[in-house]
């Protein structure tokens, strides 16, 4: 197992944080899966920070929200946490960001579905002296004062190493990626693809498809790939929805045990699949830490304090052998 945790995830502190989060956070945060950002601004003079995520339907985002709520409670600030129903709804997310900015918040957290489409609104934030903290996915702009995220290139590279090891260093593999517009989609695709091409000449990536993070669409794409490539030996699913789609496709095609699956993120279905051997393993991030560090950096920036531009929240590879280790359990979510 390899780890690259930054300063936030330091063993005991991470466990302590998780424990307190599981006890449920009573905060001033509100949630909104449909994007109605207009309910509330700051309350009673508290600092107000809207958090606009890439989605809401996956357990990953619920864990990010937990971390954000924890920081909000500790720092006595008000937050809202919202995202579009689907991670393919770039226009919807841009609308959410616009509504959030119109409320003149003290700072804002933003995980971009499209690293370029949000550029005009980021310029608007800058013009109005609203600090922006990017999280999960960075943006192609120097406007965010900080980015709290996993090193996705390194993490996907580790997934590629594990895949090569598990399939004996040769054969055909394929990838289902959530998108090719977000920083996470691009970095995970390239991190995995480049590592395979650079280190494993006898492994061929026969197809890369984009399922929008939707497990149903990803299932259909994975089934089509298996039909086109009957000798496929491995599949990499680049986020929770992609990995579940691959898992379902392999089961529907009765290919369990014949195709090695490596996923990304966590969630009950992935955890169960790893425990029962249907999925070989997965990369897990630290979504609670991502949410926590995003709010913490946003508050500091709103106060005019210096913040670290790159906040590495770390990653682990987990499989059946270590899934019950305390340091792994501390960063998994169902």
């Amino acid at each position: 197992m390899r780890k690259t945790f930054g300063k936030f995830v330091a063993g005991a502190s991470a466990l302590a944080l998780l424990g307190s989060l599981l006890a449920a956070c009573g905060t001033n945060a509100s949630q909104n899966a449909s994007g109605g950002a207009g309910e509330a601004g700051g309350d009673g003079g508290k600092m107000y920070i809207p958090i606009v995520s890439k989605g809401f339907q996956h357990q990953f985002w619920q864990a990010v929200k937990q971390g954000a709520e924890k920081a909000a409670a500790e720092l006595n600030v008000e937050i809202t946490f919202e995202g579009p129903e689907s991670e393919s709804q770039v226009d919807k997310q841009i609308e959410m960001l616009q509504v959030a900015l119109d409320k003149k918040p003290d700072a804002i957290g933003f995980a971009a579905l499209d690293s370029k489409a949000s550029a005009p609104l980021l310029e608007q934030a800058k013009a109005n002296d609203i600090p922006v903290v990017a999280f999960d996915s960075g943006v192609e702009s120097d406007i965010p004062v900080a980015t709290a995220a996993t090193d996705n290139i390194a993490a996907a590279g580790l997934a590629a190493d594990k895949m090569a090891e598990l399939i004996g260093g040769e054969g055909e593999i394929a990838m289902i990626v959530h998108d090719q517009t977000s920083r996470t989609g691009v970095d995970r695709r390239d991190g995995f693809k480049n590592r395979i091409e650079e280190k494993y000449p006898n492994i061929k990536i026969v197809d890369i498809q984009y399922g929008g993070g939707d497990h149903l669409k990803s299932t259909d794409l994975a089934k089509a790939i298996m039909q086109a490539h009957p000798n496929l030996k491995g599949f990499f699913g680049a986020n929770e929805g992609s990995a579940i789609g691959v898992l379902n496709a392999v089961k529907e095609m009765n290919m369990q045990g014949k195709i090695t699956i490596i996923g990304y993120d966590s969630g009950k279905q992935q955890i169960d699949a790893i425990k029962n051997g249907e999925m070989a393993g997965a990369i897990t991030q630290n979504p609670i830490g991502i949410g926590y560090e995003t709010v913490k950096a946003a508050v500091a920036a709103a106060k005019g304090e210096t913040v670290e531009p790159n906040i590495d929240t770390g990653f682990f590879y987990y499989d059946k052998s270590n899934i019950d280790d305390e340091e792994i359990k501390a960063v998994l979510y169902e």
Side-chain angles (χ1 to χ4, degrees):
M1 180 184 66
R2 171 183 169 184
K3 60 182 180 179
T4 62
F5 268 26
K7 61 183 180 182
F8 173 74
V9 182
S13 60
L15 290 171
L17 172 60
L18 180 67
S20 61
L21 292 172
L22 292 176
C25 304
T27 77
N28 297 311
S30 65
Q31 68 181 52
N32 188 338
S34 62
E39 288 85 357
D43 181 25
K46 286 184 178 179
M47 185 180 290
Y48 171 57
I49 302 170
I51 308 295
V52 180
S53 79
K54 291 169 65 178
F56 215 84
Q57 74 275 40
H58 294 154
Q59 291 304 310
F60 177 84
W61 297 115
Q62 293 295 316
V64 174
K65 176 174 173 287
Q66 283 187 321
E69 290 176 340
K70 173 66 176 175
E74 289 182 1
L75 299 170
N76 194 31
V77 300
E78 180 179 357
I79 68 168
T80 50
F81 192 101
E82 58 199 325
E85 293 89 347
S86 165
E87 294 184 25
S88 63
Q89 293 180 305
V90 175
D91 291 345
K92 185 70 174 289
Q93 191 195 41
I94 294 299
E95 290 175 10
M96 290 178 168
L97 182 59
Q98 180 67 72
V99 172
L101 289 173
D102 288 346
K103 295 170 70 177
K104 303 186 186 326
D106 296 283
I108 191 166
F110 181 55
L113 281 171
D114 188 316
S115 61
K116 296 180 180 177
S118 58
L121 293 184
L122 295 180
E123 291 290 347
Q124 180 182 330
K126 181 180 180 181
N128 288 284
D129 295 324
I130 300 171
V132 177
V133 175
F135 67 99
D136 184 63
S137 283
V139 294
E140 295 179 19
S141 167
D142 60 0
I143 291 177
V145 296
T147 300
T150 304
D151 183 342
N152 283 294
I153 292 178
L158 175 59
D161 288 335
K162 294 294 183 181
M163 176 67 78
E165 176 185 339
L166 291 169
I167 67 171
E170 60 181 11
E172 296 181 347
I173 63 174
M175 303 166 62
I176 299 292
V177 182
H178 40 298
D179 62 64
Q180 50 188 333
T181 56
S182 72
R183 196 67 258 166
T184 59
V186 171
D187 286 350
R188 292 177 197 175
R189 177 196 64 197
D190 293 349
F192 187 91
K193 178 175 178 288
N194 292 342
R195 181 68 59 85
I196 290 292
E197 292 176 348
E198 291 167 2
K199 289 187 62 178
Y200 307 103
N202 295 322
I203 297 177
K204 181 180 180 182
I205 299 175
V206 295
D207 205 349
I208 303 174
Q209 293 292 328
Y210 302 90
D214 180 86
H215 70 278
L216 296 176
K217 183 177 180 181
S218 299
T219 298
D220 291 339
L221 291 170
K223 288 164 66 177
I225 291 173
M226 282 189 282
Q227 289 167 343
H229 301 280
N231 295 320
L232 201 69
K233 294 179 68 175
F235 246 127
F236 173 56
N239 78 340
E240 182 181 351
S242 305
I244 295 304
V246 169
L247 175 66
N248 290 340
V250 168
K251 292 166 73 173
E252 289 180 22
M253 299 284 283
N254 294 316
M255 295 295 285
Q256 302 100 312
K258 299 176 183 176
I259 292 181
T260 296
I261 305 171
I262 290 180
Y264 215 105
D265 297 321
S266 177
K268 187 176 188 318
Q269 198 170 345
Q270 281 202 83
I271 290 172
D272 290 345
I274 288 171
K275 286 183 174 179
N276 66 27
E278 292 177 334
M279 183 177 289
I283 297 292
T284 183
Q285 308 178 77
N286 179 18
I288 294 173
I290 290 174
Y292 185 93
E293 291 294 330
T294 297
V295 172
K296 181 181 175 183
V299 170
K303 291 179 177 177
E305 299 172 357
T306 300
V307 296
E308 292 290 333
N310 296 302
I311 304 170
D312 182 0
T313 50
F315 65 87
F316 283 102
Y317 179 82
Y318 67 103
D319 57 19
K320 195 172 183 177
S321 70
N322 66 357
I323 195 168
D324 291 322
D325 290 355
E326 290 301 320
E327 61 183 348
I328 295 296
K329 288 197 293 186
V331 292
L332 296 182
Y333 48 90
E334 295 191 350

